Every structure is written in C-alpha cells, then in structure tokens.
Amino acid sequence: MNRRRFLLMPLLAMISQRVTAFLKVSPSDHEGPFYPVAPIPLNADLVHSADGAARGRHLELKGRVINQQQKPQSAVRIEIWQCDASGRYRHPWAPGNDRVDPHFAGFGSVNTGSNGVYHFKTLIPVPYGGRPPHIHVKLFHANRELLTSQLYLKGQGSQYGSQPMVIDPRSVGENQWRADFDFVIA
C-alpha cells in the first residue's frame, strides 16, 4: 500500500461513517379516499369503543418519530385511520359504512413526547376492494404536514408505492399482536 492511500484511509472512513449516519426518510404514499371528514381526536385506543372490544386481531403499534440523524422528534401529531376487520371504513362515503364494527373507532391520533415515542391500539389491517392490508398515517408538526403514507403488512406490500413502509406483527398472546415502526422525517 502506498503512503498516500494509507494517509487517506482514516479520512475516507470518517466520511463513510457520516454518510451512513443519515437514515432514509420515510416515503410518502396515497392518502386514500376515506380520510376522516371530522377532526381526528386524540385517541390511542381504536379497539375499545362503545363499551366493547372490536372484532379482529388486536395490534399494539408503537415506535418513534426520528429525524435522519436518529434524534427523537417531539410534539409530532400522528394520525391513523383504517378499515375494520370486515373491510369497512367509518366514513360517510365508504361502502358498507352503516355496518362498520361499532366497537372499532376507525381513526385516532397521538402526540409524541420528548423521546419521540408513539403508541396505538388498533387492528391488524385486512385487505378490501383489491387493496393490500394497510393502515393510513399522517404526521404533523405545528399544523405543518410532514408525511402522508401507509403502513403495509410484511409480504403484502403496496402495488402503488415503490418503497412501501412495512410492519411485521408478532403474536404476544391470544388475539394480541405487536408491531414496531419508526418514522424518519426530514
């Protein structure tokens, strides 16, 4: 090895570490036609509503909102919405909305704390109308929209997006599942 290459190696290693320290931003995706028409309330528990528990496989969805340098992002509002276990949305224009599960809220939101953590109780999504199973998401900071996208189940990703965001639920008990997902914002 010549002396010039030997002297450049530490510099190249440092540059390489700096480049890989930046995470890829979570990709956007379609909002979909059934974004709630009323403001989405602060509600992390979508599966216990109207004095009962929703049908379907209950999912604890949690994670963090971080920036590309892996720093937690506080005061980010995360909204989610999805269909019930029968493929029906709680939305006035959705087919079958008169038969939606009364115990499934259908949508909710949370705000991240100083550690960037969020947590929802929802359902493992189901397919409907030829679409793969998904959970819609929107992230806001100070009323500025940061991201609109969808979370897909592993192995059942989007046919629309080129880089789908994927969750991989794991069983943690009878009818109880857990999945983790970190959102990366610019």
Side-chain angles (χ1 to χ4, degrees):
M1 178 180 313
N2 69 32
R3 178 177 158 86
R4 187 173 297 160
R5 262 194 230 161
F6 180 76
L7 293 174
L8 285 176
M9 284 178 66
L11 177 63
L12 292 174
M14 183 178 73
I15 291 170
S16 175
Q17 287 173 347
R18 296 265 180 181
V19 169
T20 59
F22 289 91
L23 298 175
K24 195 171 191 176
V25 172
S26 296
S28 63
D29 201 342
H30 303 283
E31 178 180 281
F34 303 123
Y35 182 73
V37 294
I40 296 178
L42 285 175
N43 178 19
D45 187 352
L46 283 64
V47 295
H48 297 99
S49 183
D51 298 323
R55 294 184 300 272
R57 296 183 295 168
H58 291 197
L59 173 67
E60 179 183 4
L61 176 63
K62 61 187 182 84
R64 299 178 306 147
V65 177
I66 56 177
N67 67 12
Q68 290 180 282
Q69 295 79 34
Q70 302 182 40
K71 292 184 179 164
Q73 301 298 292
S74 63
V76 173
R77 179 180 171 102
I78 303 173
E79 298 178 345
I80 66 170
W81 68 100
Q82 69 184 97
C83 64
D84 68 10
S86 298
R88 296 183 187 101
Y89 277 90
R90 186 174 296 284
H91 190 281
W93 304 325
N97 71 350
D98 58 330
R99 297 183 312 277
V100 71
D101 183 344
H103 304 299
F104 183 61
F107 46 83
S109 69
V110 296
N111 292 314
T112 61
S114 60
N115 57 3
V117 170
Y118 73 90
H119 182 262
F120 286 101
K121 291 180 182 177
T122 189
L123 295 175
I124 292 183
V126 298
Y128 70 92
R131 292 285 324 277
H134 59 280
I135 299 171
H136 297 273
V137 297
K138 273 194 184 216
L139 278 67
F140 296 90
H141 184 265
N143 293 324
R144 183 174 65 92
E145 188 175 312
L146 303 173
L147 175 68
T148 298
S149 197
Q150 298 176 41
L151 296 173
Y152 296 92
L153 291 179
K154 183 177 181 180
Q156 300 181 42
S158 166
Q159 58 204 3
Y160 305 104
S162 58
Q163 302 169 330
M165 300 194 305
V166 175
I167 58 173
D168 188 12
R170 61 195 180 283
S171 176
V172 293
E174 186 177 334
N175 196 35
Q176 298 293 319
W177 298 77
R178 185 171 295 144
D180 301 299
F181 189 86
D182 291 344
F183 294 99
V184 181
I185 58 175

